[in-house]
Amino acid sequence: MKLLLHICCAPCSVMAIQVLRAQAIEVTGYWYNPNIHPYTEYQNRLNALKEYSKSIELPLLINDFYGLKMFTKMALEDLENRCLGCYELRLKETAIKAKEAGFDAFSTTLLISPYQKHEQLKITGERISNMIGIPFYYEDFRPYFREGQAKARALPLYMQKYCGCIFSEEERYLVKNK
Ligand code: SF4
């Protein structure tokens, strides 16, 4: 199977790719993360993925769009539920790209994170699959999360401190400073 794998960041990709490759799935990475702010953080994460992809010979397609204005406008419409819109945005773009480029299915490394709304991710992936007309590859990678983070730290890969959007950065540090 030829799979287009949306990659949210290099550390989350480590074990997801390893697990997929072990099943003889041919993985191509896809970068599309307009949710990551500010720009220096966006660049750090993208550069880390570029370097890591080379080191493991992972083909990588890059949709280099820094979406601060578009994303924050969307998120401010419903801040509490912004993650659902964030999943929709990234998975839809990945599904469209996968279909255009002739992949068999699409998926996302977000499925490895215990910090994401896993069931919502699955529902969103399946809904988009029906909408765009390409299978969504679902696997619960969460049991591999700690191992992946440890491997990423050991390499070392750039490790981010918050999910991605400027609102998650505020949540991370405001809570910490209380
Ligand atoms: S917290 Fe993470 S998943 Fe939620 S909107 Fe922000 S970047 Fe997206």
Side-chain angles (χ1 to χ4, degrees), residues 79 82 166-176:
L79 261 187
R82 67 185 186 278
I166 206 71
F167 310 105
S168 62
E169 192 262 5
E170 181 189 55
E171 283 166 1
R172 167 75 163 78
Y173 291 106
L174 269 183
V175 169
K176 212 179 172 189

Side-chain angles (χ1 to χ4, degrees), residues 73-120:
K73 187 166 179 281
M74 182 275 288
L76 283 168
E77 283 169 15
D78 187 0
L79 261 187
E80 287 303 306
N81 294 307
R82 67 185 186 278
C83 299
L84 307 188
C86 182
Y87 301 155
E88 169 101 19
L89 193 67
R90 293 189 279 171
L91 289 180
K92 193 170 172 191
E93 191 67 27
T94 308
I96 290 169
K97 183 70 188 175
K99 187 160 186 193
E100 274 174 9
F103 286 88
D104 300 311
F106 71 102
S107 192
T108 176
T109 56
L110 289 164
L111 291 168
I112 203 168
S113 172
Y115 303 110
Q116 299 297 340
K117 297 170 172 57
H118 191 90
E119 285 310 310
Q120 286 299 332

Side-chain angles (χ1 to χ4, degrees), residues 104-153:
D104 300 311
F106 71 102
S107 192
T108 176
T109 56
L110 289 164
L111 291 168
I112 203 168
S113 172
Y115 303 110
Q116 299 297 340
K117 297 170 172 57
H118 191 90
E119 285 310 310
Q120 286 299 332
L121 266 173
K122 188 179 177 197
I123 291 166
T124 304
E126 283 162 1
R127 187 165 43 74
I128 286 171
S129 162
N130 289 331
M131 189 195 303
I132 308 296
I134 179 161
F136 174 61
Y137 179 89
Y138 171 76
E139 184 163 345
D140 185 357
F141 297 115
R142 287 176 295 180
Y144 305 102
F145 180 73
R146 299 282 162 218
E147 187 181 350
Q149 294 290 299
K151 284 188 174 180
R153 233 173 258 116

